[in-house]
């Protein structure tokens, strides 16, 4: 009798679990995601910065899994999970499972100030990336139009909250764009005057990296006009800027690259979770009372021998997804499950053209070689998308021409979305110019 | 003393007028558009059908005009025009002009039923194209999920209102996609069962084409599963389908490719307009009482010697834009203006892979040769976009793999758009599954 596996979430963990289970006898997989696409998160900031198009780093899940006849993909929302009846309740009906894989990731949290989200979008989805792109480009358009120098200064000020890789990459891109790309396009403003800030609560940015590399990254950022404010806790965010204790920066555009929180699913199910809601998993990535339930990716709180919990990185999610798939196969062969062991793939961040830092165990390096390493690694991992050749071409183009992709502002001209799946939302707009 | 030229609209007419005036001595150009990009309209349907990305057929106006030092581009909205004071009032202040070029085009009209727009989006802007893409793909997702066969039939039914080139190209693409591309991606539905209708009020589709070519196009459409309803006037459109007199089609997705109307600017200014609001222009493309005001593109109502008003086609707009620019230069040289003469570039429409019709004066042909002609002509005209190489590659890819670009559904996850330029709008959503 076929084992029914339900996977919640089509990110790195969910997708790779599905691939391991694909076309395996006696296994039937149902993958549910609220989006219809898998997203190559590490390059999302490039979509936000108009260096890449959405099609370059995302592909519909059903295309990616089309050749696995035993996998069914649904675009839908999981509303409830009944662990006793082993049933997942979705917005399109109930689905029973023998194995459940939770891989629905984390989202940005605003230190308990969700009202800040309105003024400081995060960067987790394509929609958010397009929104960030729209805001950044709109700011330059408004600056070109306004005659008020103070207003213009505010419009040409960008604050990135959070000094992790994403924050650094966003700040670096804006710095590069403003210093090199945009200059010749405007008549009334000098984009080189753009002020860019990284506001980081910790004493330094890139805390997960070697201090020396981090300070090199900081120098590279400074050369692009980015000012790093370390040991700076944001105390308020509004439509006109950010408050940092007694200090204040007036900025039309604030981007959020700070804390994340696991969606409340773990608590809802009454499972052990850590401080930010990640579900505590055993060595085999299942959860204590329910060996048939696995958790992978950012949503999983996994502590290896060394006692340091694994970070929310793509390679971790990818490896966990595969490990979960393999453990389910081991079960069906009545063999003992294997404990998950993370093979460290190192970490890297790119600041700008020819500028990146790479850390792999003891090996640490930066500069142009690091940048090419970053390039190759990411191109390699894009292989799941049919567009990787386009990505290479576009990067090549940008590299030599220093021009970016189409910086289009596609405003929502739509009042109604009759067959949209989201709950009704109201949009309010305020004029900034 | 420099002549100040204000151009309203960055379409084919406005852009090409600007190019003619670019870097000319004693001329100062201000181009205003509510979008920040120029759009290659003839291929917009390919964005709607996910065959191309938005960056492939659009580019920011300020990039395209960057090398003309005497041209300033503003993203803004023209609110009023004072022909006596020769002043344009925008949402960012007043701008005086010596010459005014109106080229802000036309929009869809719903035979006086604007409430239909909610259920049947038109195809004039990138935002609309993305919305159409979203609706089409969403319909397949919902069909895959629903267990109700009648609901599924409705979800797999697409009605295109209007049998002009755009309607034919949309219908053809959906037919091709459903018959060849999507099949292998779904488990619960057979996309080949998709029903597609073109509802045209006139006795036949492609009325501007030779009847024989039009009937060949109809045959090609039928082979892709498209049913053409001619002499069929839509009497009502709602969330569940369309009413055609006593007949009714239940459809989750209705697309509007029917009538257009010039925006009310002409009437507002008290100028001569035709039935659909296009501004009547003289032989030199200026308007009778105001030789300093020119009108070009879809907004202009121009009647050549043969007495047949020029249609709203890209080549017409392009040539008129250039002619306007040249006439302004002639003025500055105290030379007489030239009357506009349209050099017929013929017309063509594509139905699907290897299927197109081309009409050029007496020459008429269809089939694969017509399709390649269509391809080459459009690639040629894409030369203003840095992406034309990508377009070629993507088309090549689609041609041989029969796969389309990323069919991503990017839902709006945003409640607020603090620095959006649009007036506040509320979005309502209704669940279709």
């Amino acid at each position: 009798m076929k084992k029914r596996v339900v996977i919640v979430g089509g990110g790195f963990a969910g997708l790779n679990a599905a691939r391991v289970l694909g076309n395996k006898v006696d296994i039937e997989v149902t993958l549910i995601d609220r989006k219809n696409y898998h997203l190559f998160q590490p390059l999302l900031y490039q979509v936000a910065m108009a260096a890449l198009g959405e099609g370059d780093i995302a592909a519909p899940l059903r295309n990616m899994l089309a050749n696995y006849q035993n996998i069914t993909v649904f675009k839908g929302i999981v509303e409830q999970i009944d662990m006793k009846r082993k049933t997942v309740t979705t917005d399109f009906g109930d689905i029973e499972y023998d194995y459940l894989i939770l891989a629905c990731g984390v989202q940005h949290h605003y230190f308990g100030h969700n009202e800040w989200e309105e003024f400081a979008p995060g960067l987790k989805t394509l929609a958010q990336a397009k929104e960030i792109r729209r805001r950044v480009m709109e700011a330059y358009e408004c600056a070109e139009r306004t005659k008020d120098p103070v207003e213009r200064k505010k419009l040409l000020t960008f604050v990135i909250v959070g000094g992790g890789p994403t924050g650094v990459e966003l700040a670096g891109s804006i710095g590069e764009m403003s210093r090199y790309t945009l200059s010749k396009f405007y008549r009334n403003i000098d984009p080189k005057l753009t002020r860019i800030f990284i506001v980081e609560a910790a004493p330094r940015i890139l805390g997960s990296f070697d201090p020396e590399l981090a300070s090199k990254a900081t120098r590279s950022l400074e050369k692009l006009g980015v000012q790093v404010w370390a040991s700076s806790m944001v105390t308020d965010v509004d439509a006109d800027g950010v408050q940092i204790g007694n200090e204040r920066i007036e900025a039309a555009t604030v981007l959020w690259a700070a804390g994340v929180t696991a969606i409340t699913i773990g608590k809802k199910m009454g499972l052990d979770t850590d401080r930010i809601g990640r579900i505590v998993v055993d060595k085999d990535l299942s959860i204590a009372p329910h060996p048939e339930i696995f958790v992978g990716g950012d949503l999983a709180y996994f502590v290896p021998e060394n006692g340091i919990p694994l970070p929310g990185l793509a390679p971790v999610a990818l490896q966990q997804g595969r490990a979960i798939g393999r453990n389910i196969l081991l079960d069906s062969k009545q063999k003992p499950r294997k404990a998950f062991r993370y093979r460290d793939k190192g970490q890297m961040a790119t600041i700008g053209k020819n500028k990146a830092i790479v850390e792999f165990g003891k090996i640490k390096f930066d500069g142009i070689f690091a940048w090419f390493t970053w390039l190759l690694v990411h191109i390699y991992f894009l292989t799941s998308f049919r567009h990787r050749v386009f990505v290479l071409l576009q990067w090549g183009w940008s590299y030599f021409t220093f021009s970016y992709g189409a910086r289009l502002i596609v405003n929502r001209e739509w009042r109604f979305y009759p067959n949209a799946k989201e709950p009704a939302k109201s949009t309010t707009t305020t004029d900034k110019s």
Side-chain angles (χ1 to χ4, degrees), chain A:
Chain A
M1 182 265 197
K2 282 182 182 289
K3 292 286 180 202
R4 299 157 301 175
V5 181
V6 172
I7 303 176
V8 182
F12 284 104
L15 179 68
N16 287 285
R19 282 179 167 151
V20 171
L21 298 169
N23 293 340
K24 292 288 186 296
V25 287
D26 301 335
I27 296 222
E28 211 173 70
V29 179
T30 304
L31 190 152
I32 306 166
D33 196 304
R34 52 170 61 227
K35 304 180 269 53
N36 81 320
Y37 56 85
H38 169 74
L39 181 62
F40 190 77
Q41 209 100 33
L43 288 177
L44 189 56
Y45 80 96
Q46 294 225 347
V47 174
M49 290 298 117
L52 292 176
E54 49 190 35
D56 299 322
I57 66 159
L61 281 159
R62 49 178 83 261
N63 300 31
M64 299 178 80
L65 298 169
N67 299 328
Y68 303 114
Q69 292 311 317
N70 65 330
I71 299 180
T72 309
V73 177
F74 289 115
K75 177 172 182 289
I77 295 166
V78 171
E79 285 160 352
Q80 223 176 351
I81 293 167
D82 185 331
M83 293 184 283
K84 279 180 207 55
R85 285 177 42 241
K86 294 189 178 177
T87 306
V88 174
T89 305
T90 73
D91 58 345
F92 58 97
D94 289 4
I95 303 173
E96 296 186 345
Y97 65 81
D98 300 305
Y99 289 101
L100 175 64
I101 303 176
L102 296 175
C104 35
V106 293
Q107 51 198 202
H108 284 291
H109 85 135
Y110 290 80
F111 312 141
H113 292 278
N114 291 334
E115 69 275 15
W116 293 354
E117 183 178 15
E118 164 186 1
F119 310 112
L123 186 59
K124 284 274 167 208
T125 68
L126 277 180
Q128 289 170 319
K130 302 305 272 316
E131 172 65 9
I132 288 176
R133 177 194 297 196
R134 196 184 64 74
R135 291 189 187 201
V136 171
M137 296 322 302
E138 191 73 47
Y140 282 99
E141 291 301 326
C142 296
E144 173 83 346
R145 293 156 33 141
T146 186
K147 285 161 194 62
D148 172 353
V150 176
E151 178 68 21
R152 179 177 299 144
K153 190 181 77 178
K154 189 173 94 182
L155 286 161
L156 292 182
T157 302
F158 298 85
V159 175
I160 290 97
V161 182
T166 302
V168 166
E169 283 160 343
L170 279 173
S173 313
I174 297 176
E176 203 161 60
M177 191 166 71
S178 56
R179 266 56 184 177
Y180 298 101
T181 317
L182 294 183
S183 322
K184 62 179 177 300
F185 296 139
Y186 296 86
R187 302 280 173 260
N188 305 337
I189 60 171
D190 176 3
K192 292 198 181 62
L193 299 179
T194 302
R195 300 187 304 167
I196 307 150
F197 300 88
I198 293 180
V199 179
E200 168 60 53
R204 68 174 175 97
I205 60 169
L206 297 169
S208 63
F209 284 81
D210 170 79
E212 202 182 311
L213 280 183
S215 75
K216 277 177 173 157
T218 309
R219 284 292 303 123
S220 307
L221 284 167
E222 284 167 351
K223 288 177 187 151
L224 290 172
V226 178
Q227 190 176 55
V228 175
W229 288 24
S231 310
S232 304
M233 171 68 86
V234 170
T235 49
D236 191 24
V237 183
D238 57 47
D240 301 311
V242 296
Q243 192 74 33
I244 301 119
N246 303 329
E247 298 184 292
R248 177 168 178 84
I249 303 171
E250 286 275 303
T253 312
V254 182
L255 306 179
W256 195 265
V260 294
T261 177
I263 51 180
T264 53
I265 183 168
K267 290 196 177 60
K268 259 198 205 156
M269 295 169 70
L271 303 171
D272 285 3
T273 62
D274 75 338
R275 180 179 46 79
I276 64 167
R278 292 180 298 176
I279 298 170
V280 179
V281 294
D282 294 340
K283 296 278 161 261
D284 68 349
L285 296 170
S286 72
I287 57 174
H290 292 281
E292 78 279 8
I293 299 181
F294 292 89
V295 185
D298 292 359
L299 182 60
Y301 179 79
F302 182 90
V303 185
E305 280 73 8
N306 63 18
I308 304 159
L310 291 179
L313 295 173
V316 175
L318 187 147
Q319 291 179 32
Q320 286 182 338
R322 287 182 185 152
I324 291 170
R326 281 191 296 259
N327 277 337
I328 291 176
L329 294 180
L330 287 170
D331 279 9
S332 61
K333 300 196 192 90
Q334 276 85 34
K335 290 189 188 146
R337 295 180 179 181
K338 283 214 176 71
F340 174 68
R341 182 165 277 97
Y342 174 56
R343 287 173 300 293
D344 188 359
K345 292 272 178 274
Q347 53 179 345
M348 47 182 80
T350 174
I351 296 94
K353 192 174 179 174
N354 300 345
K355 300 191 193 69
I357 55 174
V358 174
E359 188 169 346
F360 180 64
K362 297 255 157 301
I363 310 155
K364 305 178 174 64
F365 55 102
D366 66 322
I368 186 160
F369 179 54
W371 185 77
F372 271 106
T373 312
W374 175 90
L375 197 75
L376 293 175
V377 169
H378 283 80
I379 285 296
Y380 172 79
F381 278 111
L382 273 179
T383 47
S384 24
F385 304 94
R386 86 161 182 72
H387 273 81
R388 66 185 185 282
V389 53
F390 298 103
V391 175
L392 253 179
L393 280 166
Q394 296 194 38
W395 280 350
W397 185 287
S398 310
Y399 183 84
F400 293 111
T401 65
F402 238 123
S403 89
Y404 273 82
R407 280 176 298 278
L408 310 172
I409 303 176
V410 180
N411 287 312
R412 288 146 204 72
E413 288 149 27
W414 280 96
R415 274 170 207 67
F416 308 94
Y417 307 99
N419 56 14
K421 307 306 301 164
E422 268 60 52
K425 285 170 182 171
S426 75
T427 73
T428 65
T429 67
T430 60
D431 197 320
K432 278 275 193 121
S433 75

